[in-house]
Coordinates of all heavy atoms in Angstrom, one line a residue:
Y28 N 164.8 190.1 69.8 CA 164.0 190.9 68.9 C 164.8 191.1 67.6 O 166.0 191.5 67.7 CB 163.6 192.2 69.5 CG 162.5 192.0 70.6 CD1 162.9 191.8 71.9 CD2 161.2 192.1 70.2 CE1 161.9 191.7 72.8 CE2 160.2 192.0 71.2 CZ 160.6 191.8 72.5 OH 159.6 191.6 73.5
V29 N 164.2 190.9 66.5 CA 164.8 191.2 65.2 C 164.1 192.4 64.7 O 162.9 192.5 64.6 CB 164.7 190.0 64.2 CG1 165.3 190.4 62.9 CG2 165.4 188.8 64.8
E30 N 164.9 193.5 64.3 CA 164.3 194.7 63.8 C 164.9 195.1 62.5 O 166.0 194.7 62.2 CB 164.6 195.8 64.8 CG 163.9 195.6 66.2 CD 164.2 196.7 67.2 OE1 165.3 197.2 67.1 OE2 163.3 196.9 68.0
G31 N 164.2 195.8 61.8 CA 164.6 196.3 60.5 C 163.4 196.5 59.6 O 162.5 195.6 59.5
K32 N 163.3 197.6 58.9 CA 162.1 197.9 58.1 C 161.8 196.8 57.1 O 160.7 196.3 56.9 CB 162.3 199.2 57.3 CG 162.0 200.4 58.1 CD 162.0 201.6 57.2 CE 161.5 202.8 58.0 NZ 161.3 204.0 57.2
K33 N 162.8 196.3 56.3 CA 162.6 195.3 55.3 C 162.2 194.0 55.9 O 161.2 193.4 55.5 CB 163.9 195.1 54.5 CG 163.7 194.2 53.3 CD 164.9 194.1 52.4 CE 164.6 193.3 51.2 NZ 165.7 193.3 50.2
I34 N 162.8 193.6 57.0 CA 162.5 192.3 57.6 C 161.1 192.4 58.2 O 160.3 191.5 58.1 CB 163.5 191.9 58.7 CG1 164.9 191.7 58.0 CG2 163.1 190.8 59.6 CD1 166.1 191.6 59.0
E35 N 160.8 193.4 58.9 CA 159.5 193.6 59.6 C 158.4 193.7 58.5 O 157.3 193.1 58.7 CB 159.5 194.8 60.4 CG 160.4 194.7 61.7 CD 160.5 196.0 62.5 OE1 159.8 197.0 62.2 OE2 161.3 195.9 63.4
G36 N 158.7 194.3 57.4 CA 157.7 194.4 56.3 C 157.4 193.0 55.7 O 156.3 192.7 55.4
L37 N 158.4 192.2 55.5 CA 158.2 190.9 55.0 C 157.4 190.0 55.9 O 156.5 189.3 55.5 CB 159.6 190.2 54.8 CG 160.5 190.6 53.7 CD1 161.9 190.0 53.8 CD2 159.8 190.3 52.4
V38 N 157.6 190.1 57.2 CA 156.8 189.4 58.2 C 155.4 189.9 58.2 O 154.4 189.1 58.2 CB 157.4 189.5 59.6 CG1 156.5 188.9 60.7 CG2 158.7 188.8 59.6
T39 N 155.2 191.2 58.1 CA 153.9 191.8 58.1 C 153.0 191.3 56.9 O 151.8 191.1 57.1 CB 154.0 193.3 58.2 OG1 154.7 193.7 59.3 CG2 152.6 194.0 58.2
V40 N 153.6 191.2 55.8 CA 152.8 190.8 54.6 C 152.7 189.3 54.4 O 152.0 188.9 53.5 CB 153.3 191.5 53.3 CG1 153.3 193.0 53.4 CG2 154.7 191.0 53.0
T41 N 153.3 188.5 55.2 CA 153.3 187.1 55.0 C 152.0 186.5 55.7 O 151.7 186.8 56.8 CB 154.6 186.4 55.6 OG1 155.7 186.9 55.0 CG2 154.5 184.9 55.5
N42 N 151.4 185.6 55.0 CA 150.2 184.9 55.5 C 150.7 183.8 56.4 O 151.1 182.8 56.0 CB 149.4 184.3 54.4 CG 148.2 183.5 54.9 OD1 147.9 183.4 56.1 ND2 147.4 183.0 53.9
M43 N 150.6 184.1 57.7 CA 151.2 183.2 58.7 C 150.3 181.9 58.9 O 150.8 181.0 59.5 CB 151.3 183.9 60.1 CG 152.3 185.0 60.1 SD 154.0 184.4 59.6 CE 154.8 186.0 59.6
K44 N 149.2 181.9 58.3 CA 148.3 180.7 58.3 C 148.7 179.7 57.2 O 148.2 178.6 57.2 CB 146.9 181.0 58.3 CG 146.4 181.8 59.5 CD 145.0 182.2 59.4 CE 144.6 183.0 60.7 NZ 143.2 183.4 60.7
D45 N 149.5 180.1 56.2 CA 149.8 179.3 55.1 C 151.3 178.8 55.2 O 152.2 179.6 55.2 CB 149.7 180.1 53.8 CG 150.1 179.3 52.6 OD1 149.4 178.3 52.3 OD2 151.0 179.8 51.9
Y46 N 151.4 177.5 55.3 CA 152.7 176.9 55.6 C 153.7 177.3 54.5 O 154.9 177.6 54.8 CB 152.6 175.3 55.6 CG 153.9 174.6 55.6 CD1 154.6 174.5 56.9 CD2 154.5 174.1 54.5 CE1 155.9 173.9 56.9 CE2 155.8 173.5 54.6 CZ 156.4 173.4 55.8 OH 157.7 172.8 55.8
Q47 N 153.4 177.3 53.2 CA 154.3 177.6 52.1 C 154.7 179.0 52.2 O 155.9 179.3 52.0 CB 153.7 177.3 50.8 CG 153.6 175.8 50.5 CD 153.0 175.5 49.1 OE1 152.2 176.3 48.6 NE2 153.5 174.5 48.5
S48 N 153.9 179.9 52.6 CA 154.2 181.3 52.8 C 155.3 181.5 53.9 O 156.2 182.3 53.7 CB 153.0 182.2 53.1 OG 152.1 182.2 52.0
V49 N 155.0 180.8 55.0 CA 156.0 180.9 56.1 C 157.3 180.3 55.8 O 158.4 180.8 56.1 CB 155.4 180.3 57.4 CG1 156.4 180.2 58.5 CG2 154.1 181.0 57.8
A50 N 157.3 179.2 55.1 CA 158.5 178.5 54.6 C 159.3 179.4 53.7 O 160.5 179.5 53.8 CB 158.2 177.2 53.9
H51 N 158.6 180.1 52.8 CA 159.2 181.1 51.9 C 159.9 182.2 52.7 O 161.0 182.6 52.4 CB 158.2 181.6 50.9 CG 158.8 182.5 49.9 ND1 159.7 182.1 48.9 CD2 158.6 183.8 49.7 CE1 160.1 183.1 48.2 NE2 159.4 184.2 48.6
L52 N 159.1 182.7 53.7 CA 159.7 183.8 54.5 C 161.0 183.3 55.2 O 162.0 184.1 55.2 CB 158.6 184.2 55.6 CG 159.1 185.2 56.6 CD1 159.5 186.5 56.1 CD2 158.1 185.3 57.7
M53 N 161.0 182.1 55.8 CA 162.2 181.6 56.4 C 163.3 181.5 55.5 O 164.5 181.8 55.8 CB 161.9 180.3 57.1 CG 160.9 180.3 58.2 SD 161.4 181.5 59.5 CE 160.0 182.6 59.5
H54 N 163.1 181.1 54.2 CA 164.1 181.0 53.2 C 164.7 182.4 52.9 O 165.9 182.5 52.9 CB 163.5 180.4 51.9 CG 164.5 180.3 50.8 ND1 165.5 179.3 50.8 CD2 164.6 181.0 49.7 CE1 166.2 179.5 49.7 NE2 165.7 180.5 49.0
I55 N 163.9 183.4 52.8 CA 164.3 184.7 52.6 C 165.1 185.3 53.7 O 166.2 185.8 53.6 CB 163.2 185.7 52.3 CG1 162.5 185.3 50.9 CG2 163.6 187.1 52.3 CD1 161.2 186.0 50.6
L56 N 164.6 185.0 54.9 CA 165.4 185.5 56.1 C 166.7 184.9 56.2 O 167.7 185.5 56.6 CB 164.5 185.3 57.4 CG 163.2 186.0 57.5 CD1 162.5 185.6 58.8 CD2 163.5 187.5 57.5
K57 N 166.8 183.6 55.9 CA 168.1 182.9 55.9 C 169.0 183.5 54.9 O 170.2 183.7 55.2 CB 167.8 181.4 55.7 CG 169.0 180.5 56.1 CD 168.6 179.1 56.2 CE 169.5 178.4 57.2 NZ 169.0 177.0 57.5
K58 N 168.6 183.7 53.7 CA 169.4 184.3 52.7 C 169.9 185.7 53.1 O 171.0 186.1 52.7 CB 168.7 184.4 51.3 CG 168.6 183.0 50.7 CD 168.0 183.1 49.3 CE 169.1 182.9 48.3 NZ 168.6 182.9 46.9
M59 N 169.0 186.4 53.8 CA 169.4 187.8 54.2 C 170.4 187.8 55.4 O 170.9 188.8 55.8 CB 168.1 188.6 54.7 CG 167.2 188.9 53.6 SD 165.7 189.7 54.2 CE 166.3 191.3 54.7
G60 N 170.7 186.6 56.0 CA 171.7 186.5 57.0 C 171.1 186.7 58.4 O 171.8 186.8 59.4
V61 N 169.7 186.6 58.5 CA 169.1 186.8 59.9 C 169.5 185.6 60.8 O 169.9 185.8 61.9 CB 167.6 186.9 59.7 CG1 166.9 186.8 61.1 CG2 167.2 188.1 59.0
F62 N 169.5 184.4 60.3 CA 169.9 183.2 61.1 C 171.3 183.3 61.6 O 171.6 183.0 62.7 CB 169.6 181.9 60.3 CG 168.2 181.6 60.2 CD1 167.3 182.3 59.4 CD2 167.7 180.4 60.8 CE1 166.0 182.0 59.3 CE2 166.4 180.1 60.7 CZ 165.5 180.9 59.9
R63 N 172.2 183.7 60.7 CA 173.6 183.8 61.0 C 173.8 184.9 62.1 O 174.6 184.7 63.0 CB 174.4 184.3 59.7 CG 175.8 184.2 59.8 CD 176.6 184.4 58.5 NE 175.9 185.4 57.6 CZ 175.3 185.0 56.4 NH1 175.3 183.8 56.0 NH2 174.7 185.9 55.7
E64 N 173.1 186.0 62.0 CA 173.2 187.0 63.0 C 172.6 186.6 64.4 O 173.2 186.9 65.4 CB 172.5 188.3 62.6 CG 173.2 189.1 61.5 CD 174.6 189.5 62.0 OE1 174.8 190.0 63.1 OE2 175.6 189.3 61.1
L65 N 171.5 185.8 64.3 CA 171.0 185.3 65.6 C 172.0 184.3 66.2 O 172.1 184.4 67.5 CB 169.6 184.5 65.3 CG 168.4 185.4 65.0 CD1 167.3 184.6 64.4 CD2 168.0 186.2 66.2
E66 N 172.6 183.5 65.4 CA 173.6 182.6 66.0 C 174.8 183.4 66.6 O 175.3 183.1 67.7 CB 174.1 181.7 64.9 CG 173.1 180.6 64.5 CD 173.5 179.8 63.4 OE1 174.7 179.8 63.0 OE2 172.6 179.1 62.8
K67 N 175.2 184.5 65.9 CA 176.3 185.3 66.5 C 175.9 185.9 67.8 O 176.8 186.1 68.7 CB 176.6 186.4 65.5 CG 177.5 186.1 64.3 CD 177.8 187.3 63.5 CE 178.6 187.0 62.3 NZ 178.8 188.3 61.5
E68 N 174.6 186.2 67.9 CA 174.2 186.9 69.2 C 173.8 185.8 70.3 O 173.4 186.2 71.3 CB 172.9 187.7 68.9 CG 173.2 188.9 68.0 CD 174.1 189.9 68.7 OE1 174.0 190.1 69.9 OE2 175.0 190.5 68.0
G69 N 174.1 184.6 70.0 CA 173.9 183.5 71.0 C 172.6 182.8 71.0 O 172.3 182.1 72.0
A70 N 171.8 183.0 69.9 CA 170.5 182.3 69.9 C 170.7 180.8 69.9 O 171.6 180.2 69.3 CB 169.7 182.7 68.6
R71 N 169.9 180.1 70.7 CA 169.9 178.6 70.8 C 168.6 178.0 70.4 O 167.6 178.7 70.5 CB 170.2 178.2 72.2 CG 171.6 178.7 72.7 CD 171.9 178.1 74.0 NE 173.2 178.5 74.4 CZ 173.6 178.6 75.7 NH1 172.8 178.3 76.6 NH2 174.9 178.9 75.9
E72 N 168.6 176.8 69.9 CA 167.4 176.1 69.5 C 166.4 176.2 70.6 O 166.7 175.9 71.8 CB 167.7 174.6 69.2 CG 166.6 173.9 68.6 CD 166.9 172.6 68.0 OE1 168.1 172.4 67.7 OE2 166.0 171.8 67.7
G73 N 165.2 176.6 70.3 CA 164.1 176.7 71.2 C 163.9 178.1 71.7 O 162.8 178.4 72.4
D74 N 164.8 179.0 71.5 CA 164.7 180.4 72.0 C 163.6 181.1 71.2 O 163.3 180.8 70.1 CB 166.0 181.2 71.7 CG 167.1 180.9 72.7 OD1 166.8 180.2 73.7 OD2 168.2 181.4 72.5
A75 N 162.9 182.0 71.9 CA 161.8 182.8 71.3 C 162.5 184.0 70.6 O 163.4 184.6 71.1 CB 160.9 183.4 72.4
V76 N 162.0 184.2 69.3 CA 162.5 185.3 68.5 C 161.3 186.1 68.1 O 160.3 185.5 67.6 CB 163.3 184.7 67.3 CG1 163.7 185.9 66.3 CG2 164.5 183.9 67.7
Y77 N 161.3 187.4 68.2 CA 160.2 188.2 67.9 C 160.6 189.1 66.7 O 161.6 189.8 66.7 CB 159.8 189.1 69.1 CG 159.3 188.4 70.2 CD1 160.2 187.9 71.2 CD2 158.0 188.1 70.4 CE1 159.8 187.2 72.3 CE2 157.6 187.3 71.5 CZ 158.5 186.9 72.4 OH 158.0 186.2 73.5
I78 N 159.7 189.1 65.7 CA 159.9 189.9 64.5 C 158.5 190.6 64.2 O 157.5 189.8 64.0 CB 160.3 189.2 63.3 CG1 161.6 188.3 63.5 CG2 160.6 190.1 62.1 CD1 162.0 187.4 62.4
A79 N 158.4 191.9 64.2 CA 157.2 192.6 63.9 C 156.0 192.1 64.8 O 154.9 191.9 64.3 CB 156.9 192.5 62.5
G80 N 156.3 191.8 66.1 CA 155.3 191.4 67.0 C 154.8 190.0 66.9 O 153.9 189.5 67.5
T81 N 155.5 189.2 66.0 CA 155.2 187.8 65.8 C 156.3 187.0 66.5 O 157.5 187.2 66.3 CB 155.1 187.4 64.3 OG1 154.2 188.3 63.7 CG2 154.8 186.0 64.1
Q82 N 155.9 186.0 67.3 CA 156.9 185.1 68.0 C 157.1 183.9 67.2 O 156.2 183.2 66.7 CB 156.3 184.7 69.3 CG 157.3 183.9 70.1 CD 156.8 183.6 71.5 OE1 156.0 184.3 72.1 NE2 157.3 182.5 72.1
F83 N 158.4 183.6 67.0 CA 158.9 182.4 66.4 C 159.8 181.6 67.4 O 160.4 182.2 68.3 CB 159.8 182.7 65.2 CG 159.0 183.4 64.1 CD1 159.0 184.8 64.1 CD2 158.4 182.7 63.1 CE1 158.3 185.5 63.1 CE2 157.7 183.4 62.1 CZ 157.7 184.8 62.1
E84 N 159.9 180.3 67.2 CA 160.8 179.5 68.0 C 162.1 179.3 67.1 O 161.9 178.7 66.0 CB 160.2 178.2 68.4 CG 161.1 177.3 69.2 CD 160.4 176.0 69.6 OE1 159.2 176.0 70.0 OE2 161.1 175.0 69.4
Y85 N 163.2 179.7 67.6 CA 164.4 179.5 66.8 C 164.9 178.1 66.7 O 164.9 177.3 67.6 CB 165.6 180.4 67.4 CG 166.9 180.2 66.7 CD1 167.0 180.9 65.4 CD2 167.9 179.4 67.1 CE1 168.2 180.7 64.7 CE2 169.1 179.3 66.4 CZ 169.2 179.9 65.2 OH 170.4 179.8 64.5
N86 N 165.3 177.8 65.5 CA 165.9 176.5 65.2 C 167.0 176.8 64.1 O 166.7 177.6 63.3 CB 164.9 175.5 64.6 CG 165.4 174.2 64.2 OD1 166.3 174.1 63.3 ND2 165.0 173.1 64.8
P87 N 168.2 176.2 64.2 CA 169.2 176.6 63.2 C 168.8 176.4 61.8 O 169.4 177.1 60.9 CB 170.4 175.7 63.6 CG 170.1 175.2 65.0 CD 168.7 175.3 65.2
D88 N 167.9 175.5 61.5 CA 167.4 175.3 60.1 C 166.3 176.2 59.7 O 166.1 176.5 58.5 CB 167.1 173.8 59.9 CG 168.3 172.9 60.2 OD1 169.4 173.2 59.7 OD2 168.1 171.9 60.9
T89 N 165.4 176.5 60.6 CA 164.2 177.3 60.4 C 163.7 177.9 61.7 O 164.3 177.7 62.7 CB 163.1 176.5 59.7 OG1 162.1 177.3 59.2 CG2 162.6 175.4 60.6
M90 N 162.7 178.7 61.6 CA 162.0 179.2 62.8 C 160.6 178.7 62.7 O 160.0 178.7 61.7 CB 162.1 180.7 62.9 CG 163.5 181.1 63.3 SD 163.6 182.9 63.8 CE 163.7 183.7 62.3
I91 N 160.1 178.3 63.8 CA 158.7 177.8 63.9 C 157.8 178.9 64.5 O 158.1 179.5 65.5 CB 158.7 176.5 64.8 CG1 159.6 175.5 64.2 CG2 157.3 176.0 64.9 CD1 160.0 174.4 65.2
L92 N 156.7 179.1 63.8 CA 155.7 180.1 64.3 C 155.1 179.6 65.6 O 154.7 178.4 65.6 CB 154.7 180.3 63.2 CG 153.6 181.4 63.4 CD1 154.3 182.7 63.5 CD2 152.6 181.4 62.3
T93 N 155.1 180.4 66.6 CA 154.5 179.9 67.9 C 153.3 180.8 68.2 O 153.0 181.8 67.7 CB 155.5 179.9 69.0 OG1 156.0 181.2 69.2 CG2 156.5 178.9 68.8

């Protein structure tokens, strides 16, 4: 689980049905260091990651909405 007001707020306002919106969200999360922290915590490709009740599949390059 990824928690934090700013991160959860970004996920909440993102249109998850729009590919460009989700890609932009992933770019922001990467810049914020979310991916780096997930790797530090042992996240592996294919792991489920939850942010604001939304499930993503972790990949070192991006996360896929599931």
Side-chain angles (χ1 to χ4, degrees):
Y28 288 88
V29 176
E30 297 177 328
K32 278 187 173 187
K33 186 172 185 174
I34 294 168
E35 292 172 8
L37 288 169
V38 171
T39 301
V40 299
T41 298
N42 178 358
M43 296 300 177
K44 294 180 181 179
D45 179 60
Y46 173 80
Q47 288 183 327
S48 296
V49 175
H51 182 67
L52 171 65
M53 293 304 120
H54 178 75
I55 292 170
L56 294 178
K57 199 165 204 171
K58 285 185 107 177
M59 291 176 70
V61 172
F62 285 68
R63 189 172 35 248
E64 287 300 316
L65 287 168
E66 289 173 12
K67 279 185 187 177
E68 293 296 320
R71 294 186 178 157
E72 189 167 341
D74 284 352
V76 175
Y77 296 90
I78 307 173
T81 303
Q82 181 177 336
F83 298 90
E84 181 180 315
Y85 178 74
N86 179 298
D88 298 317
T89 190
M90 284 193 280
I91 302 162
L92 186 61
T93 56

